[in-house]
Amino acid sequence: MGPPRTQLPVSRINTIMKSSSDVEMVSKESSLLMGKATELFIKNLATEAYKTTHNGRKLDYKNLAEIVHSEDKYEFLREIMPKKITVLEFKKIMARKQGNSNEVDKKRGVDFFGFFIVFLRRRRRLQFGR
Amino acid sequence: MAEKLEDLNLPNASVLKIIKEALPESVNIGKDARSALSRAASVFILYITSQASNEAQKANRKTLVGQDVITALEELEFDSFVEPLQEVLKEFKDSKGKKASKPKKSNEEENGGKEEVEDENDQEEDV
C-alpha cells in the first residue's frame, strides 16, 4: 500500500503553501495533510451552506456568503466573499440613510456607487483568476 | 515559487467533484458558488499555513511538518478535522516506514547510517 491519496494534487497544494512568505520549507507530509484538510474544508463549507438553501435544489453564492458571515471560524473569508445585495435593496438602504432630500442627486449618487461596487468585485475576481 | 497566478488556484474539476460528494446527488451547484469555494480553499491553505509556520517557529524548526498543520487547525477552530488528519498522518508514516524498511533489509550492512540522511532529504526536497 502506498501513501494515502488525496483528491487534490499535492504538488499544487505545495505551491500554494510555499507562496506564503511565512514559510521556509514545507515537508511532504504537511502538504499531504493540507490536501486532506482542504478537502474537508470544501465539504464542510458546502454542506453548511447547503443547509441554508430554501428548497435544497441549488447551492448558490449567497448561501456560502451567509455561512461565512455568520460563523466565527470563517471570519478570514469575509473579505473575499462579500454579501451580495440587489440594486433594489441597495437603493432602499441608501434612501433610508439620506432621507428624502434632493431626489435627483440621490439617484445619481446611488447609481454611481452601484457601478463602483460592481467594478470592485470584477477587480477582485481578476486578482484571484478564475 | 508559483510562476503564474493560476498556479495558486486549485483545479476546478477536482473542486467540483469534492463539492458533489458532499451534497445530495440532485443538487445543482452554481458557477459562482463553485468558483467562490475554490477561491476560499486557496485562502484556507494560506491561512492554515501561516498558523502552522508559527507552530514550527515555536519549535525552532524551519520545515513545516504534519503535526504543525494539525495543531494549526485545532487553534483556528477546525477541531473536527483533527481526528481524520491524525489517521492520514499515521497512514503516511506507516507507508513510509514500510518503504524505508524494505531496501534497508538488503542494504543494511553496506550503508547502515544512510537511512537517516535519506529521511532528512525527503523532508526538505521541496524547498
Side-chain angles (χ1 to χ4, degrees):
Chain A
M1 222 175 62
R5 284 164 162 257
T6 52
Q7 301 205 38
L8 295 163
V10 176
S11 61
R12 179 60 58 95
I13 303 277
N14 194 281
T15 308
I16 299 173
M17 288 172 85
K18 278 191 295 184
S19 75
S20 162
S21 54
D22 302 325
V23 71
E24 283 195 53
M25 281 173 276
V26 176
S27 68
K28 239 188 201 145
E29 62 167 39
S30 67
S31 356
L32 185 91
L33 286 197
M34 189 66 86
K36 187 71 190 166
T38 309
E39 198 183 306
L40 291 171
F41 166 79
I42 295 171
K43 282 188 177 169
N44 276 24
L45 182 52
T47 309
E48 285 168 46
Y50 177 69
K51 285 181 194 153
T52 74
T53 58
H54 287 302
N55 53 21
R57 263 185 247 145
K58 192 178 178 202
L59 181 70
D60 274 317
Y61 176 88
K62 64 167 191 266
N63 309 123
L64 293 167
E66 201 176 316
I67 282 296
V68 162
H69 286 263
S70 62
E71 296 263 339
D72 281 349
K73 64 177 173 188
Y74 294 131
E75 203 188 334
F76 69 102
L77 293 173
R78 285 183 193 163
E79 232 177 279
I80 65 152
M81 274 200 203
K83 269 190 182 168
K84 279 186 185 172
I85 55 171
T86 62
V87 175
L88 196 71
E89 284 167 338
F90 184 75
K91 281 185 176 171
K92 270 184 199 159
I93 293 169
M94 290 311 277
R96 223 177 291 141
K97 272 188 182 165
Q98 294 185 353
N100 290 322
S101 62
N102 215 336
E103 201 72 30
V104 181
D105 268 13
K106 193 183 75 189
K107 261 189 188 158
R108 204 175 282 159
V110 166
D111 282 344
F112 173 71
F113 203 55
F115 266 119
F116 188 60
I117 282 189
V118 171
F119 170 67
L120 277 182
R121 261 191 209 134
R122 292 238 168 99
R123 248 189 44 183
R124 194 167 277 150
R125 228 177 251 165
L126 278 180
Q127 275 169 6
F128 275 91
R130 293 228 73 189
Chain B
M1 267 310 266
E3 282 170 13
K4 286 174 283 173
L5 209 52
E6 296 94 88
D7 291 346
L8 301 181
N9 292 335
L10 295 165
N12 282 329
S14 334
V15 173
L16 190 62
K17 208 177 146 206
I18 293 170
I19 304 171
K20 281 189 170 161
E21 269 179 22
L23 303 180
E25 225 172 273
S26 57
V27 178
N28 278 321
I29 296 144
K31 214 180 163 206
D32 267 14
R34 195 217 64 213
S35 67
L37 268 170
S38 176
R39 256 183 297 148
S42 290
V43 175
F44 170 81
I45 296 173
L46 290 172
Y47 176 63
I48 302 297
T49 301
S50 171
Q51 178 70 31
S53 64
N54 276 347
E55 301 300 326
Q57 258 168 29
K58 270 189 225 161
N60 262 324
R61 263 185 284 102
K62 283 187 174 178
T63 307
L64 224 65
V65 297
Q67 190 54 49
D68 295 330
V69 175
I70 294 179
T71 312
L73 286 164
E74 214 168 353
E75 278 188 20
L76 298 175
E77 295 179 61
F78 292 96
D79 312 55
S80 63
F81 296 6
V82 171
E83 229 183 86
L85 288 189
Q86 293 283 18
E87 251 162 59
V88 176
L89 183 60
K90 194 175 162 282
E91 239 179 90
F92 178 77
K93 288 197 162 152
D94 284 355
S95 80
K96 229 181 147 187
K98 268 180 210 159
K99 232 198 297 179
S101 66
K102 263 184 200 162
K104 206 181 165 188
K105 264 181 195 163
S106 52
N107 297 341
E108 212 168 18
E109 278 152 52
E110 295 132 85
N111 33 4
K114 216 186 161 190
E115 185 65 52
E116 227 174 287
V117 180
E118 265 178 11
D119 220 6
E120 227 172 68
N121 283 346
D122 195 36
Q123 293 230 323
E124 298 181 2
E125 73 184 351
D126 294 319
V127 178

